[in-house]
Amino acid sequence: MHAETPLPPLGGTALTLLLLQIAVLLGLALLLGRLATRLGLPAIVGELTAGVIAGPSLFFWLAPGAAGWLFPQQPGQAHLLDAVSQFGVVLFVGITGMQLDMALVRRRAATAAGVSLPGLLIPLGLGIGAGLLLPAALITEGTDRTIFALFLGVAMCVSAIPVIAKTLMDMNLLHRNIGQLILMSGTIDDVLGWLGLSLVTAMATVGLTGAGVTRAVLSLLLFITFAALPGRLAVRFLLRRTLRSESAGVTVSAAVVIILSFSAVTNLLGLEAIFGALVAGMLVASAGTEVLTRMASLRAVVTAVLAPIFFAVAGLRMNLAALADPQVLLAGVILLAIAIVGKFAGAFVGARFSRLNRWESLALGAGMNARGVVEVVVAMVGVRLGILSTAMYTVIVLIAIVTSLMGPPILRAAMARVDVDADEVLRREKDERLNAVR
């Protein structure tokens, strides 16, 4: 019997190109992300722009030969870069899950739900309606229009906790009641949005049939039940055991294993892998403050290296030349209006029913309107599933950028007209004392 020859490791031109691609995209993302931050913009704007510059919108147009060499249109090479970016986004969503304060939501669940649900349902309905009415030329061939409409509805209704939290922090609004309510409502929107995305992913995978929908719902319920009961206990037991080690690296490694394992399970069930990462992150957070403190190094690497690579790759898939088509441009303007008006109107109506004044309601609408990183992740899922064409993908990512840019100025103007109450003063003083101790 002849011994089997082992598969050769990745090397040669393929490895050279992968390393150069990562270096170029990460370098551009770092420079443009820093520039965006200095201009008072979210870093994601610069990181996405890095990919746009390196992609068909500019680099392929200015130097097609060099661009074709660095980013060859070969599935095998493209999938290597995509695998790196997917690893990054899974960990990024896991980190996001660790930051969701579900205890805060439970304490003021009624108010948060009253604000978030209209802000979720109105843009969801408008997005589904738009998806059913858009011209067939904008839908990829072979895609079921109902699946496309459902996906578009989810894309229109999501919010972005990372962008919202960073904006509130930069504007010194986290201690304000409205800032807390925006975070709570955004958390509910995020969780329900990921649930919806997983269901649409499952339907796109198994088909929009009675059996397919039933299977998707049962898979989702099965996973949530497992995560809430034995999964939660197992995660807490494992992570607390790692605290016996003096090295934070042991806890970080265990957390990464948990996030990747949960992602693999949801992907195996036909749901979205990043939903598993989100749930895993929430379970990691439930293991206690000491565990979360040890996640600092993981958070630094993910946010400074892996997430920018993902966003640059996301920008690489955009083609702004698609907007030269009047049909695509018109669809983009309509969808942007639906995204903004739907989220603003929903949050505003929910806030008014919760007896908040008009300026507080406007601030809530501005905060909830930021789509940011979540919208980009949703758009990338649409491309992977074959639901979105390049034109529609470009439109949805632009919606993420525009809505993220709108938040700060509107929030600043609205909150200038909201009086500071005694509770907010106490909360701010407490935060300042804690920061002084740190």
Side-chain angles (χ1 to χ4, degrees):
M1 180 182 292
H2 296 287
E4 291 186 4
T5 304
L7 289 173
L10 180 68
T13 303
L15 180 59
T16 301
L17 285 177
L18 177 63
L19 296 176
L20 284 175
Q21 288 169 351
I22 293 173
V24 168
L25 290 176
L26 181 57
L28 278 174
L30 174 63
L31 290 174
L32 296 178
R34 293 288 295 168
L35 177 61
T37 302
R38 292 195 174 194
L39 294 174
L41 305 175
I44 183 181
V45 174
E47 292 163 358
L48 285 168
T49 303
V52 172
I53 290 174
S57 299
L58 188 61
F59 189 29
F60 277 78
W61 179 65
L62 291 176
W69 178 81
L70 183 58
F71 297 103
Q73 302 303 297
Q74 300 169 359
Q77 188 70 50
H79 288 163
L80 288 175
L81 183 60
D82 190 52
V84 174
S85 74
Q86 288 299 316
F87 176 68
V89 75
V90 163
L91 291 183
F92 179 76
V93 173
I95 293 293
T96 300
M98 295 179 201
Q99 296 172 329
L100 299 182
D101 192 346
M102 298 307 294
L104 183 64
V105 172
R106 284 192 292 269
R107 286 197 298 269
R108 297 186 61 185
T111 303
V115 172
S116 67
L117 291 182
L120 185 85
L121 296 176
I122 292 177
L124 174 66
L126 291 174
I128 291 174
L132 294 173
L133 296 175
L134 281 177
L138 297 178
I139 303 175
T140 54
E141 187 177 352
T143 298
D144 184 284
R145 181 177 282 274
T146 304
I147 293 288
F148 173 79
L150 290 170
F151 182 88
L152 197 58
V154 171
M156 293 298 101
C157 75
V158 296
S159 294
I161 281 293
V163 172
I164 293 171
K166 183 66 167 58
T167 300
L168 292 172
M169 189 180 301
D170 290 345
M171 297 178 66
N172 200 24
L173 294 175
L174 274 177
H175 68 283
R176 301 292 301 272
N177 293 333
I178 293 300
Q180 297 285 307
L181 190 54
I182 289 172
L183 277 181
M184 288 187 289
S185 302
T187 298
I188 293 175
D189 269 14
D190 259 14
V191 173
L192 294 178
W194 292 122
L195 283 170
L197 181 62
S198 281
L199 281 175
V200 173
T201 298
M203 292 175 191
T205 304
V206 302
L208 193 63
T209 62
V213 173
T214 300
R215 176 183 169 186
V217 172
L218 288 177
S219 296
L220 186 60
L221 292 175
L222 176 66
F223 175 74
I224 292 174
T225 302
F226 167 78
L229 299 173
R232 184 176 181 220
L233 294 175
V235 167
R236 293 177 71 176
F237 174 78
L238 174 62
L239 291 176
R240 287 176 178 175
R241 285 291 295 267
T242 66
L243 296 177
R244 298 178 181 179
S245 171
E246 294 181 1
S247 171
V250 176
T251 308
V252 169
S253 296
V256 171
V257 169
I258 290 167
I259 292 170
L260 295 179
S261 299
F262 273 65
S263 300
V265 169
T266 50
N267 195 60
L268 185 64
L269 291 173
L271 304 170
E272 187 50 50
I274 50 180
F275 177 66
L278 182 80
V279 172
M282 294 167 68
L283 296 182
V284 169
S286 73
T289 305
E290 193 173 354
V291 168
L292 282 179
T293 302
R294 289 193 169 197
M295 293 297 116
S297 58
L298 176 63
R299 190 177 297 109
V301 171
V302 171
T303 56
V305 179
L306 296 177
I309 291 172
F310 168 76
F311 294 122
V313 171
L316 193 66
R317 296 179 185 273
M318 294 177 66
N319 188 354
L320 298 181
L323 298 176
D325 184 337
Q327 193 175 48
V328 175
L329 182 60
L330 179 60
V333 171
I334 291 172
L335 290 176
L336 178 61
I338 286 174
I340 294 171
V341 173
K343 183 62 78 172
F344 257 107
F348 189 88
V349 168
R352 294 297 279 166
F353 272 112
S354 298
R355 299 181 179 177
L356 300 179
N357 66 42
R358 62 179 178 176
W359 294 113
E360 292 171 327
S361 302
L362 184 62
L364 273 165
M368 298 284 287
N369 186 47
R371 303 317 205 279
V373 294
V374 176
E375 185 93 313
V376 177
V377 173
V378 170
M380 286 287 277
V381 171
V383 170
R384 183 174 58 77
L385 294 174
I387 294 174
L388 296 181
S389 62
T390 299
M392 288 305 301
Y393 171 80
T394 300
V395 165
I396 290 179
V397 174
L398 285 175
I399 289 173
I401 295 173
V402 172
T403 54
S404 296
L405 293 177
M406 289 176 61
I410 299 175
L411 260 174
R412 190 174 292 110
M415 290 304 295
R417 294 167 171 80
V418 178
D419 295 331
V420 180
D421 66 20
D423 288 340
E424 292 174 337
V425 173
L426 291 173
R427 192 182 296 129
R428 181 174 184 174
E429 291 175 351
K430 180 181 177 181
D431 290 343
E432 288 175 347
R433 286 196 299 271
L434 287 173
N435 288 332
V437 171
R438 289 170 188 158

